[in-house]
Amino acid sequence: DTDQEETARILDSHNLIAVPVVDAAEKLLGIVTVDDIIAVIREEQTEDVYKMGAMDGVADPYLSTTILGLVKKRIPWLVVLLLLGTVTTNLLHHYESIILGATFLFIFMPVITQTGGNAGGQSSTLMIRGLATGEIHFKDFKRVIWREILVGILLGVATGLVIFLRSYLLPPGIGIAEAAAIGSALIFVVLFATVVGTVAPILIARLGFDPTVMSAPLMATLIDVAGITIYFETARHLLKM
């Protein structure tokens, strides 16, 4: 009754060439060999890659899948991500007065959300892979989260400094206070994205679900929504808007 992915992990972690298959009475029914497991590993990895690309995780061969089948594989998550993404419209409407009073904030908004999404995607990818290989377990949660908080701070400071210098020294060449506000906002966005990208897959796995649902596209969309809020709220407080 053992899951095929767990069987593959047992063979790999113990360097075995075969494992026995027994019934409830521990009567030998047969064996599972390395050759059998190779196909399983390939199928499981393909499903994980599909899910991380926000697609249905069925590992059907591409060229043998119909056009309608390819559409069905992609459309569900695409619609979900589209609807989640429309939340940004409401956020932009909420901060419309700030945007009209400081158009430079709107100009740099795509850079902020993109960087935050990338940071969150990196963290979630590391966690999902670590969970899949058995390198990371829920018992490691505190250790992992503290490591990623430190990583997030360092990444945030580095990217924040880059965007500060970029926005101040190069076109459109905004003021130093405005550039500092953008840089500070990016620090918070990257830190937030890194933590969320770390916590979400581990908690989802703990609840018994597949952590690959927190794929890079979904992570980027969620962080876009949160990142815009962090961005404008940071700018509003620092610039007294």
Side-chain angles (χ1 to χ4, degrees), residues 203-239:
L203 292 183
I204 288 175
R206 178 63 174 176
L207 293 173
F209 299 104
D210 190 342
T212 54
V213 297
M214 291 307 297
S215 59
L218 177 58
M219 181 63 62
T221 303
L222 294 175
I223 291 174
D224 278 353
V225 174
I228 288 175
T229 304
I230 295 172
Y231 176 50
F232 283 112
E233 285 297 321
T234 301
R236 183 168 69 88
H237 283 86
L238 293 181
L239 298 176

Side-chain angles (χ1 to χ4, degrees), residues 86-124:
T86 58
V87 177
T88 59
T89 304
N90 301 87
L91 287 174
L92 291 177
H93 176 69
H94 177 73
Y95 291 109
E96 183 177 7
S97 60
I98 295 178
I99 295 173
L100 292 176
T103 54
F104 69 90
L105 290 175
F106 186 77
I107 295 174
F108 285 97
M109 186 183 70
V111 179
I112 301 296
T113 56
Q114 180 184 30
T115 305
N118 290 339
Q122 288 177 337
S123 294
S124 64

Side-chain angles (χ1 to χ4, degrees), residues 37-200:
I37 289 300
I38 288 175
V40 171
I41 293 174
R42 184 182 295 114
E43 179 183 345
E44 293 287 348
Q45 287 183 337
T46 300
E47 291 180 358
D48 288 346
V49 169
Y50 282 176
K51 290 178 182 178
M52 292 179 70
M55 294 183 289
D56 179 24
V58 179
D60 297 325
Y62 175 80
L63 293 178
S64 63
T65 305
T66 64
I67 296 298
L68 184 59
L70 291 173
V71 173
K72 288 181 178 179
K73 185 188 293 288
R74 304 182 192 186
I75 195 64
W77 271 111
L78 201 60
V79 171
V80 170
L81 294 173
L82 169 64
L83 294 176
L84 286 175
T86 58
V87 177
T88 59
T89 304
N90 301 87
L91 287 174
L92 291 177
H93 176 69
H94 177 73
Y95 291 109
E96 183 177 7
S97 60
I98 295 178
I99 295 173
L100 292 176
T103 54
F104 69 90
L105 290 175
F106 186 77
I107 295 174
F108 285 97
M109 186 183 70
V111 179
I112 301 296
T113 56
Q114 180 184 30
T115 305
N118 290 339
Q122 288 177 337
S123 294
S124 64
T125 299
L126 286 171
M127 295 305 109
I128 290 170
R129 185 57 181 166
L131 290 166
T133 59
E135 180 185 357
I136 296 175
H137 300 87
F138 186 74
K139 65 180 181 180
D140 304 313
F141 182 80
K142 288 184 178 180
R143 180 183 177 191
V144 171
I145 192 64
W146 278 114
R147 285 170 61 90
E148 287 300 307
I149 286 175
L150 293 176
V151 169
I153 292 174
L154 293 175
L155 291 176
V157 170
T159 54
L161 180 60
V162 170
I163 195 64
F164 166 76
L165 295 174
R166 163 65 180 81
S167 58
Y168 178 64
L169 299 176
L170 298 175
I174 61 178
I176 191 169
E178 290 79 4
I182 291 176
S184 299
L186 185 56
I187 293 175
F188 293 125
V189 170
V190 169
L191 175 58
F192 173 82
T194 301
V195 172
V196 171
T198 301
V199 171

